[in-house]
Amino acid sequence: EHTRIPAELQVTGERRLPLAIEQTFFRVAQEALSNVARHSRASAVTLQLTVLPEQVRLEISDNGVGFDPQQAAGRGFGLESMRTRMAELGGQMIIHSSAEEGARICATAPLRDPRGL
């Protein structure tokens, strides 16, 4: 809100998730939006949360200046912490971006049966 960058949220398959998954996806979204506000010079950002029976997927995309993900590796704590959080859930985070093309972050994690079945 304070950046004046319009954000659109789309949710598919809304349902209650385990707290660890909710918290991780919240923190990933929080960090991604912080990066958009600080670095992207975007005029819009979209968040798409999709909950399927076997996995959760969060995609955050902006129309900003983009960046080279290879050059960003190791330069900041944010992207690395997002990757680490997703790995702790058995998931992954993939970054798609290039100069003047905006950025798209896709985070996915499996939903496991709490009984281990």
Side-chain angles (χ1 to χ4, degrees), residues 23-90:
Q23 288 176 332
T24 298
F25 275 86
F26 176 79
R27 296 291 182 217
V28 166
Q30 190 176 41
E31 180 63 33
L33 291 173
S34 177
N35 286 342
V36 169
R38 284 183 298 183
H39 307 295
S40 76
R41 295 188 296 228
S43 63
V45 62
T46 302
L47 295 91
Q48 295 177 313
L49 178 66
T50 305
V51 182
L52 301 170
E54 68 284 346
Q55 81 173 18
V56 180
R57 174 185 169 98
L58 175 64
E59 185 172 308
I60 302 165
S61 55
D62 69 61
N63 65 350
V65 297
F67 64 97
D68 181 347
Q70 297 297 330
Q71 288 184 350
R75 293 183 61 202
F77 182 71
L79 293 175
E80 191 56 40
S81 93
M82 291 163 64
R83 281 193 178 99
T84 300
R85 288 178 190 274
M86 294 311 301
E88 288 171 355
L89 292 178

